[in-house]
Amino acid sequence: MKGRYQDENLKWIPILIIAIYLFPFLIKNATFSYKYYLYILNMAGIYIILTVGLDLLSGFTGLMSLGHAAFLAIGAYTSAILVDQVGLPFELSLIITPLIVGIFGFLIGFPALRIKGMYLGLTTMGFGFIVKRLIIALREWTGGSAGLQVSKASFFGISIKNDWDNYFLIYTFVILAVIIARRIVQSKLGRAFMAIRDSEQAAQASGIHLAKYKMIAFFISGMFAGFAGVLFAHTSHFISTDHFDISLSIFFIVMVLVGGIGSIYGAVLGTLFIVLMENMFIPLFKDGLSQYMHIEAGEFQVFIFGLIMLLFIIFQPQGLYGMWLKMRIYWKLFPFNPRKRFT
Amino acid sequence: MSELLTGLLQESISGIALGCIYALIALGFTLIYKATEVVNFAQGEIMMVGAYVNFFFVTQFSGMAGGLNGWVFLAALFCSIIFAVFFGIILDYIINRPLKDEPVFSIIMATISLAIILRSLTAMIAGPISLVPISPFGDSTIQAGGIVISVLDLAIIISAIILMGLFFFFFNNTRWGIAMKATSEDSEAAQLMGIPVKQVYRMVWVFAAIVGIISGVLLAPRMALLDTTMSYLGLKAFPAAILGGFGSIPGAVVGGVILGIIETVSMGTLSFHFAWIKEINDIIVWIVLIAVLMIRPDGLFGIAKVKRV
């Protein structure tokens, strides 16, 4: 039988899903400070949902977005207002908020019809600044620049008290998001996206309605970001406009780029890599290095980020996922690999 | 009413000075974009590096000369420009050479990562203490018909005009300038005509670094504190370049000045009189950007490109 994924080995996917659910039990036994690691993994999960959506937009449709933190912000604030001030249940907010953010994505999609490449990046960047300012201006609902406290969520009667419960909630949605994104990529929609990325003229000539599909790409990407926003608000319990800076938007692009732009697994890998780097390896590395020289706390991380990003762009444009594919092909052909193909 | 008018006029002059700095940064983008089609998101960071380097030289030389005087500032400016030349060459090697034929997306991300590296490196080297920039003109002002103009603003405007004039002359009347124009038109044809394209690219990056560093030197005394957030001003120069039409040198200047005036006036008089402008005065440049891109994506001086398949 020929299916959608006939050229892929799907046997390991159930094992991976089980491993994801068993992972917290593993680290609970392994380390004393497992709660901290769970929190980091939760944040990584939220970012994965967003970067998968961003990859659909930037990697598959070729529309650059430097304002995805704004979508996250809209999602987080909308959910906080809907749940705490309007009084909707959390489950309903999980459905309504992504739709609202998707509509915002739709709106920012309008200029995308005329603007390309770098100009679109700048427009979305401007959108990010404008959203941040508007959140401060609407201080009656959002608390202005002082920030907003968000209540804890409860999901169908189960109240999400701590990071332990939250892990299972978030990673269920992460798995769903990855599956949905992969279905989209393999469908007619995804093929239309890729056709637009490769050549707008050719896509148009083959009967793809550019305006419609670009709008859909922004809408879907906005929905993913809105979903991440809801989870973000109810995970961090406190949101303020400082969280959704332009640098966060750039971080998201870095995650997609380091993972490998144009592949869903790449976005997942890149996000995990960057979040774990930021929170675990760089602090360790910095402690080791600070015996020899004086280092500022925040700046060193940012510096390493910039360096990793630049090196990836110059030497490994396909990202981590591309590296993995190359390695796999190398081992498959092992004794007979022509050397020059893998440089 | 006349009070409002003098207020507007006063702010316009300050706005022109700010706009000249935007124009200089935008000129940096434009130079690189014209020749190599690389969009340099790190121009604001180059400006910030310029401000820091100049500050370093000023403090060093004033230590040597035993006090601040005009020569100290001139010598510091001279050394900063020499630094800019080397800086530009290094940037050409890091960013331009390896990424010449990559897609736009990668190049933008590479310049963004360069911006991140420069900003964090500067913060690491300079340390956590914010420095107070030294102005060569102090707080001296000129009174002219009820309007108070600070000498610093005047100096910024004059030096910006001189720089623009030099560039205009260079691009239209010298061999190298014409070679640059030819390269930006069609690099392969230029290479066939015997123009050393690689050297032209290097020169363009050096010029962009010089413009960036001079804009940093000029901007620093306007700031209350010298810190790395001043590089965000570089982002605001993008709306300026787009308003004027990306890739057009007069466009960069006009767009910069217009945006400078809009921003200063909306922060001053208009916010004072209208409450709602107060809410949006720090994002007004981005609103202008989106409006320009929606209405006339080629800007004021840009020429619409027709893409052939």
Side-chain angles (χ1 to χ4, degrees):
Chain A
M1 196 184 91
K2 275 207 155 189
R4 264 177 214 276
Y5 308 107
Q6 77 269 27
D7 52 346
E8 279 183 48
N9 184 2
L10 298 176
K11 268 175 277 175
W12 54 272
I13 286 181
I15 302 169
L16 191 72
I17 290 174
I18 293 169
I20 288 173
Y21 282 117
L22 288 182
F23 190 69
F25 296 100
L26 185 77
I27 58 172
K28 190 182 182 182
N29 291 328
T31 64
F32 187 67
S33 55
Y34 69 98
K35 280 183 181 160
Y36 170 67
Y37 295 116
L38 276 183
Y39 178 73
I40 289 168
L41 282 175
N42 286 348
M43 278 297 159
I46 290 167
Y47 289 163
I48 285 172
I49 295 175
L50 188 136
T51 48
V52 163
L54 179 61
D55 200 18
L56 284 178
L57 183 70
S58 296
F60 285 92
T61 323
L63 300 169
M64 187 172 191
S65 169
L66 289 177
H68 249 62
F71 291 126
L72 186 72
I74 298 173
Y77 272 98
T78 308
S79 178
I81 291 167
L82 282 181
V83 172
D84 291 349
Q85 291 168 29
V86 181
L88 287 182
F90 176 68
E91 303 86 7
L92 210 58
S93 163
L94 267 179
I95 298 167
I96 293 174
T97 308
L99 286 175
I100 291 173
V101 182
I103 288 164
F104 271 97
F106 197 70
L107 288 179
I108 206 65
F110 271 109
L113 305 178
R114 297 184 63 180
I115 303 164
K116 289 188 190 106
M118 165 214 57
Y119 296 96
L120 186 62
L122 282 173
T123 312
T124 47
M125 189 196 262
F127 171 73
F129 287 119
I130 290 170
V131 164
K132 207 176 145 183
R133 197 69 191 85
L134 281 182
I135 288 172
I136 295 175
L138 296 170
R139 52 182 68 83
E140 284 157 41
W141 295 297
T142 61
S145 46
L148 194 62
Q149 294 280 349
V150 189
S151 66
K152 290 190 161 90
S154 79
F155 193 69
F156 290 116
I158 309 157
S159 73
I160 311 293
K161 287 188 294 290
N162 49 29
D163 290 327
W164 179 268
D165 300 338
N166 217 345
Y167 178 90
F168 294 100
L169 180 72
I170 287 173
Y171 275 86
T172 310
F173 287 124
V174 168
I175 292 166
L176 274 178
V178 171
I179 291 172
I180 289 170
R182 287 196 41 83
R183 295 297 286 199
I184 288 173
V185 167
Q186 301 278 344
S187 68
K188 184 189 164 201
L189 199 61
R191 286 173 206 283
F193 287 168
M194 283 186 266
I196 291 173
R197 174 190 63 188
D198 294 338
S199 164
E200 289 198 356
Q201 281 87 358
Q204 211 165 11
S206 3
I208 292 168
H209 197 299
L210 280 188
K212 189 176 134 196
Y213 281 99
K214 282 187 178 177
M215 297 287 220
I216 292 176
F218 265 103
F219 183 75
I220 291 175
S221 189
M223 275 187 66
F224 275 89
F227 215 92
V230 178
L231 295 173
F232 183 89
H234 295 276
T235 301
S236 64
H237 301 309
F238 174 74
I239 48 176
S240 84
T241 46
D242 294 342
H243 291 148
F244 310 106
D245 215 6
I246 168 78
S247 52
L248 189 64
S249 300
I250 291 173
F251 258 32
F252 290 142
I253 287 278
V254 179
M255 288 169 185
V256 174
L257 209 82
V258 165
I261 194 152
S263 75
I264 298 294
Y265 293 140
V268 177
L269 273 179
T271 311
L272 277 177
F273 177 74
I274 294 283
V275 173
L276 294 184
M277 275 273 302
E278 182 189 8
N279 290 300
M280 299 184 179
F281 303 123
I282 292 183
L284 278 180
F285 185 48
K286 200 190 78 194
D287 290 342
L289 211 65
S290 60
Q291 294 172 350
Y292 307 104
M293 54 193 276
H294 173 71
I295 293 168
E296 292 305 320
E299 299 301 337
F300 184 69
Q301 294 185 4
V302 182
F303 173 68
I304 295 282
F305 265 123
L307 210 60
I308 289 173
M309 195 170 141
L310 191 63
L311 294 177
F312 259 101
I313 292 164
I314 292 176
F315 296 110
Q316 190 56 260
Q318 278 89 38
L320 286 172
Y321 191 66
M323 252 159 109
W324 157 245
L325 286 184
K326 271 186 199 168
M327 261 153 57
R328 214 176 57 179
I329 295 168
Y330 185 90
W331 285 114
K332 260 188 184 167
L333 306 171
F334 174 59
F336 308 109
N337 31 28
R339 219 146 213 277
K340 283 217 172 116
R341 279 177 56 190
F342 302 100
T343 46
Chain B
M1 197 59 214
S2 71
E3 244 176 63
L4 183 68
L5 215 67
T6 47
L8 280 178
L9 213 61
Q10 171 106 42
E11 280 153 10
S12 299
I13 289 171
S14 168
I16 290 172
L18 182 66
C20 282
I21 289 168
Y22 285 158
L24 281 179
I25 306 170
L27 189 68
F29 300 140
T30 306
L31 281 173
I32 293 178
Y33 182 75
K34 259 178 92 92
T36 61
E37 304 234 325
V38 169
V39 183
N40 184 13
F41 269 72
Q43 194 69 28
E45 275 69 18
I46 295 176
M47 175 189 80
M48 175 202 70
V49 169
Y52 271 93
V53 166
N54 190 59
F55 181 84
F56 170 76
F57 281 127
V58 166
T59 45
Q60 289 295 317
F61 289 151
S62 70
M64 268 184 249
L68 286 169
N69 55 37
W71 294 110
V72 168
F73 286 104
L74 277 180
L77 182 64
F78 183 69
C79 289
S80 305
I81 290 173
I82 290 175
F83 172 82
V85 172
F86 288 108
F87 196 50
I89 292 172
I90 294 170
L91 291 185
D92 175 51
Y93 270 105
I94 297 176
I95 298 293
N96 191 33
R97 297 253 168 125
L99 294 172
K100 190 68 208 35
D101 300 317
E102 296 282 325
V104 184
F105 194 86
S106 322
I107 298 175
I108 292 181
M109 293 322 291
T111 56
I112 287 179
S113 61
L114 178 72
I116 295 174
I117 290 174
L118 285 180
R119 203 182 310 143
S120 54
L121 206 61
T122 312
M124 269 159 71
I125 293 171
I129 308 154
S130 291
L131 310 165
V132 181
I134 308 161
S135 162
F137 304 104
D139 297 329
S140 49
T141 51
I142 296 173
Q143 286 260 357
I147 303 167
V148 184
I149 306 167
S150 92
V151 180
L152 180 67
D153 282 356
L154 218 57
I156 289 174
I157 295 170
I158 290 168
S159 37
I161 290 171
I162 291 173
L163 263 179
M164 307 279 178
L166 277 178
F167 271 104
F168 207 74
F169 175 79
F170 177 80
F171 262 95
N172 290 321
N173 298 27
T174 61
R175 266 178 87 83
W176 277 100
I178 292 164
M180 272 185 199
K181 263 180 149 176
T183 313
S184 71
E185 202 75 30
D186 186 341
S187 65
E188 279 175 17
Q191 212 156 12
L192 290 174
M193 292 293 144
I195 292 171
V197 172
K198 274 190 176 174
Q199 283 175 43
V200 168
Y201 286 157
R202 190 191 298 153
M203 202 153 166
V204 166
W205 275 87
V206 166
F207 275 146
I210 290 176
V211 172
I213 283 198
I214 289 179
S215 56
V217 173
L218 290 176
L219 176 65
R222 269 180 76 97
M223 313 288 280
L225 285 174
L226 198 61
D227 60 10
T228 48
T229 50
M230 85 188 254
S231 59
Y232 289 112
L233 237 82
L235 292 181
K236 282 190 182 172
F238 272 110
I242 284 173
L243 177 62
F246 219 89
S248 138
I249 291 182
V253 177
V254 173
V257 171
I258 291 176
L259 266 196
I261 293 174
I262 289 178
E263 202 185 26
T264 322
V265 169
S266 76
M267 277 191 180
T269 314
L270 289 184
S271 315
F272 192 67
H273 288 274
F274 305 97
W276 60 273
I277 285 189
K278 208 173 179 177
E279 297 286 351
I280 61 162
N281 59 22
D282 52 348
I283 51 166
I284 202 152
V285 292
W286 298 101
I287 295 172
V288 171
L289 167 84
I290 290 179
V292 169
L293 285 176
M294 297 276 252
I295 298 162
R296 193 180 151 81
D298 303 307
L300 297 174
F301 289 80
I303 302 153
K305 269 189 194 164
V306 180
K307 193 184 171 192
R308 293 206 174 82
V309 188

